[in-house]
Amino acid sequence: MTASITESIAAKSKKSPVDYPLSDLKLDAKVPSGPLEQKWEKHKFDSKLVNPANKRKYTVLVVGSGLAGASAASTLAELGYNVHCFCFQDSPRRAHSIAAQGGINAAKNYQNDGDSVFRLFYDTIKGGDFRAREANVYRLALNSRNIIDQCVAQGVPFAREYGGQLANRSFGGAQVSRTFYARGQTGQQLLLGAYSSLSRMIEAGRVKMHTRTEMLDLVLVDGHAKGIVTRNLTNGKVERWAGDAVLLCTGGYGNVFYLSTNAQGCNVTATYRAFKRGAAFGNPCYTQIHPTCIPVHGDDQSKLTLMSESLRNDGRIWVPKKNEDCTKSPEQIPEQDRDYFLERRYPAFGNLCPRDIASRAAKVACDDEGRGVGPEVNGRRLGVFLDFSKSIAEKGRAEIEGKYGNLFDMYAKITAEDPYKTPMRIYPAVHYTMGGLWVDYNLMSNIPGLFVLGEANFSDHGANRLGASALMQGLSDGYFVIPSTIAGYLAGQKPAAAPTEHAAFKEVDGDVQQRIERLLAIKGKRSPRSFHKALGKIMWDECGMARSEQGLAGAIEQIKALRAEFWENVAVLGDNDNMNVSLEMAGRVADFLEFGELMCLDALHRNESCGGHFRAEFQTEDGEALRNDDEFAYAAAWLHRGDDKTPALAKEPLVFENIKLAQRSYK
């Protein structure tokens, strides 16, 4: 970092207007010693094992059945553990992993274009703006190669070249082709592969599957995670479940913004309740805005639809150069009057620059410069063109249809426009969360016995996730990491979980029942959805693509007021003796209302810009993120201190021994 940049940061940086205590918790990441390339193999050899006969004595509770949960549950069951798997959907096949479209990264180098494990590691660290732990990211890159072999063996129908070799395409933040895909249905096909393994273990009696069951709290016995309390969403029954370890594979918290690409059921409850039981929450402000979503079309919309990042391989993003052309149809705007702003600003990566950079560039063009396209929504045109005309002319419609046909069909059904004839209109939207519960190298939180996998943890993506890496992380954690690391924990624990009549279970059960009764007793006049929608507007306006000290401080006060009104005026219909969607939603919104404040606090304390966290006060002269490595090269882990107290901050310093810290550039 140059002296001038350092001086600029120092001049702007000051103490956050919100006071927070520093925790005395020492976060031990348990990163193995030795060369980066040998850490994982060395760690597996040094870790304790559980012999096959003893595995049958241990019970593991897996919460979530997406890629991370299904792969972990099936693999642990195959090894001999007794596994209970829980999901709130009516089938594991409905996990939100099914919605992933574009692909999964792996350092196979089938294209012979210079890819390698180290290059995938480097691209991921750089893409995350140097805010991730090196050892975890390298292990992810290393495991990526095995994931593809595993999935091919399961019958996942990856796209293939004419000669039969697996095909690859490019994604943002990389200059090589390393993304394996199944048209625009990659997540669905990978989930079906994991589901087939899970189903085999269910049939064998090694996994007991609990659908339509939502985890509402975590049970600690002698400081270790030993169980959960759930609510049956069909009949309302609150139940206790005991295990020797708990795995949270519950996805991200993007729905705190109300409008996102996530399924409406996605929530923060499982991880947030674990936070309130003592688990540290890492980097909650790191949220990803995806640049290629169908724009918002009105105030009554409840969900946004993603158009895969893979479309940026063949689609060119542009807006009119002149504001007066924004009302014209794209064919009326000549080539010389079009601004291909990503190609102009980032010539080396062009339309495949990372998501955070592409999203901010679209925001500048639409919000700041007024050059957005499409119909006005609340007085603004929030859309840019994604144009395939050049690719169709050069490659032919058949080739484009073969790569993206189902995505084009989806767009046409939603918008009633034909993307083969006129450009798509896209705009950034909330998509993924890089923050999550803090975990060490073993994927265990600071609570012994509580492991966190996939998007629910904070570990691999830093401040920005590269496209096609979410599926990679979920499957790496479930298939290849947790089977080794959980053994190291269980080998030191006596088998046979604490009975569900233990005092700790009774206490947590009572807390859950009391919370349900409190929600039902309010009998206010506002629906849970109206509170969620109001929270989402605050979060998007003040903790979305751009953040500021003033906006974040104001957001915290607004959220506190909204939360107070919620507990006085929310209307929860029905009772707890049967299916009650209103009660489900109210519980999740209550957690979002608390969690949103934690997100804003984290964003407010971090006086820098990095990746998806863009503070308006900290940017370079040309509008890029301005990091402060001297003061903020750490993972921020927040600890609950009580409902009426500000959380405490613990810090895990990020040490870069293999990649040099540098100002990120894709030009």
Side-chain angles (χ1 to χ4, degrees):
M1 188 179 292
T2 65
S4 60
I5 291 177
T6 303
E7 291 168 1
S8 173
I9 292 176
K12 295 176 182 177
S13 184
K14 61 181 180 179
K15 195 176 189 303
S16 167
V18 174
D19 291 328
Y20 54 85
L22 292 176
S23 171
D24 56 3
L25 175 67
K26 303 299 181 185
L27 296 171
D28 182 4
K30 295 183 174 61
V31 174
S33 60
L36 183 68
E37 297 82 1
Q38 300 172 18
K39 288 183 185 295
W40 179 227
E41 290 300 321
K42 179 179 184 299
H43 186 65
K44 287 192 290 183
F45 181 77
D46 291 343
S47 297
K48 294 179 180 180
L49 300 176
V50 178
N51 76 52
N54 283 342
K55 286 187 175 78
R56 295 192 294 271
K57 301 176 183 178
Y58 290 97
T59 298
V60 180
L61 308 181
V62 179
V63 185
S65 63
L67 287 180
S71 59
S74 60
T75 305
L76 293 175
E78 287 172 355
L79 288 171
Y81 297 103
N82 298 304
V83 178
H84 288 262
C85 186
F86 303 82
C87 70
F88 62 72
Q89 299 93 345
D90 58 2
S91 166
R93 290 177 298 170
R94 293 189 180 274
H96 189 58
S97 300
I98 201 171
Q101 298 169 339
I104 177 171
N105 287 331
K108 286 287 196 180
N109 194 29
Y110 283 167
Q111 308 300 311
N112 196 27
D113 56 1
D115 200 12
S116 65
V117 169
F118 193 88
R119 188 176 293 278
L120 175 53
F121 160 67
Y122 173 81
D123 286 347
T124 305
I125 290 286
K126 178 185 176 184
D129 216 351
F130 302 91
R131 289 294 177 262
R133 189 189 294 150
E134 277 193 341
N136 287 64
V137 176
Y138 188 85
R139 178 176 63 189
L140 177 63
L142 191 66
N143 285 340
S144 70
R145 302 173 301 175
N146 297 331
I147 294 169
I148 302 304
D149 296 339
Q150 171 87 0
C151 294
V152 169
Q154 291 175 335
V156 174
F158 287 122
R160 294 180 179 268
E161 304 287 1
Y162 177 77
Q165 189 175 27
L166 296 180
N168 287 142
R169 56 190 178 200
S170 298
F171 257 61
Q175 292 180 304
V176 296
S177 294
R178 62 163 70 102
T179 304
F180 295 77
Y181 63 98
R183 295 187 81 185
Q185 307 168 350
T186 313
Q188 180 184 34
Q189 299 303 327
L190 291 172
L191 184 60
L192 289 174
Y195 175 69
S196 66
S197 296
L198 179 62
S199 297
R200 187 169 69 90
M201 289 295 98
I202 294 171
E203 178 66 23
R206 308 278 280 278
V207 174
K208 292 182 173 60
M209 190 72 218
H210 307 276
T211 60
R212 300 295 293 156
T213 303
E214 182 172 26
M215 172 184 161
L216 292 184
D217 219 328
L218 177 72
V219 180
L220 305 186
V221 178
D222 297 328
H224 288 242
K226 293 298 181 183
I228 61 174
V229 173
T230 65
R231 179 177 180 270
N232 185 306
L233 300 183
T234 301
N235 59 28
K237 184 179 180 181
V238 173
E239 298 173 285
R240 311 169 192 173
W241 305 92
D244 296 287
V246 177
L247 275 58
L248 297 186
C249 313
T250 52
Y253 47 85
N255 276 350
V256 70
F257 291 91
Y258 184 70
L259 283 180
S260 79
T261 66
N262 293 182
Q264 288 193 42
C266 295
N267 61 82
V268 76
T269 289
T271 50
Y272 190 71
R273 301 289 173 86
F275 164 74
K276 296 189 77 169
R277 293 291 174 187
F281 214 110
N283 301 330
C285 78
Y286 287 166
T287 54
Q288 181 168 84
I289 313 296
H290 197 297
T292 56
C293 297
I294 297 178
V296 176
H297 62 250
D299 289 337
D300 296 325
Q301 192 168 352
S302 59
K303 187 189 180 302
L304 297 174
T305 302
L306 174 69
M307 290 286 102
S308 170
E309 181 174 308
S310 62
L311 295 171
R312 292 200 274 153
N313 276 279
D314 289 293
R316 302 178 72 195
I317 295 173
W318 64 274
V319 292
K321 290 181 179 179
K322 305 172 186 176
N323 296 67
E324 56 267 28
D325 287 345
C326 292
T327 57
K328 296 180 179 178
S329 59
E331 62 271 13
Q332 293 178 310
I333 304 172
E335 188 71 18
Q336 65 270 19
D337 290 334
R338 301 179 178 187
D339 179 15
Y340 296 91
F341 55 91
L342 293 180
E343 298 174 28
R344 169 174 57 80
R345 295 182 61 174
Y346 310 102
F349 283 73
N351 295 296
L352 285 172
C353 63
R355 291 175 176 178
D356 61 313
I357 290 175
S359 294
R360 281 198 298 275
K363 176 187 179 298
V364 169
C366 297
D367 283 20
D368 303 344
E369 299 173 351
R371 295 190 287 137
V373 299
E376 286 191 1
V377 177
N378 296 325
R380 295 186 298 172
R381 299 181 188 276
L382 299 181
V384 301
F385 288 125
L386 180 60
D387 194 337
F388 292 87
S389 57
K390 183 177 180 182
S391 294
I392 291 173
E394 293 176 349
K395 300 178 180 181
R397 172 169 171 157
E399 181 171 335
I400 300 301
E401 190 170 356
K403 289 181 178 179
Y404 316 112
N406 65 306
L407 296 170
F408 277 47
D409 291 343
M410 184 192 308
Y411 182 87
K413 287 179 180 178
I414 292 172
T415 65
E417 297 175 0
D418 185 352
Y420 292 105
K421 297 179 180 178
T422 189
M424 291 182 179
R425 284 179 291 106
I426 57 171
Y427 192 71
V430 174
H431 177 60
Y432 187 88
T433 55
M434 286 75 67
L437 291 185
W438 182 91
V439 293
D440 62 18
Y441 191 70
N442 295 314
L443 303 184
M444 188 162 71
S445 72
N446 58 299
I447 296 177
L450 178 64
F451 295 82
V452 192
L453 283 63
E455 190 179 356
N457 75 37
F458 90 112
S459 65
D460 290 1
H461 305 297
N464 174 65
R465 177 176 68 78
L466 292 185
S469 288
L471 306 181
M472 177 174 62
Q473 184 203 357
L475 294 179
S476 173
D477 288 355
Y479 283 138
F480 301 110
V481 179
I482 199 63
S484 294
T485 60
I486 197 173
Y489 169 74
L490 292 176
Q493 300 292 309
K494 290 183 179 180
T500 55
E501 292 305 310
H502 188 284
F505 279 90
K506 291 182 178 180
E507 180 183 352
V508 175
D509 187 307
D511 291 344
V512 169
Q513 299 274 15
Q514 185 179 30
R515 184 181 179 88
I516 290 172
E517 292 169 4
R518 184 184 176 193
L519 286 168
L520 290 169
I522 297 171
K523 301 188 183 304
K525 297 181 179 179
R526 286 187 63 179
S527 69
R529 187 179 295 277
S530 72
F531 283 100
H532 192 183
K533 191 173 182 180
L535 172 66
K537 186 177 189 312
I538 296 170
M539 296 300 297
W540 178 251
D541 288 346
E542 308 301 350
C543 199
M545 274 194 285
R547 303 155 180 193
S548 69
E549 179 182 297
Q550 181 179 0
L552 290 165
I556 290 173
E557 296 307 313
Q558 291 181 67
I559 294 170
K560 287 180 178 178
L562 187 64
R563 185 166 66 247
E565 183 186 354
F566 174 89
W567 286 107
E568 292 178 357
N569 196 32
V570 69
V572 182
L573 307 178
D575 53 40
N576 189 38
D577 296 329
N578 48 39
M579 182 179 291
N580 189 336
V581 177
S582 178
L583 178 59
E584 292 172 36
M585 183 177 296
R588 295 167 188 171
V589 172
D591 290 325
F592 276 138
L593 283 165
E594 294 185 24
F595 179 70
E597 185 177 340
L598 179 65
M599 281 182 62
C600 292
L601 175 64
D602 187 40
L604 185 57
H605 109 276
R606 189 170 283 277
N607 285 332
E608 66 166 355
S609 292
C610 56
H613 168 64
F614 191 79
R615 283 281 296 273
E617 304 94 329
F618 304 100
Q619 55 182 301
T620 63
E621 292 180 357
D622 53 354
E624 303 295 345
L626 186 58
R627 289 198 327 268
N628 182 351
D629 294 331
D630 293 338
E631 297 182 41
F632 290 97
Y634 60 77
W638 296 90
L639 292 139
H640 185 64
R641 298 193 308 134
D643 291 340
D644 58 345
K645 295 180 180 179
T646 303
L649 175 64
K651 302 177 182 180
E652 181 202 336
L654 297 173
V655 179
F656 295 91
E657 298 174 339
N658 300 275
I659 294 179
K660 183 180 178 181
L661 280 166
Q663 202 65 27
R664 192 169 58 146
S665 174
Y666 291 91
K667 296 182 178 180

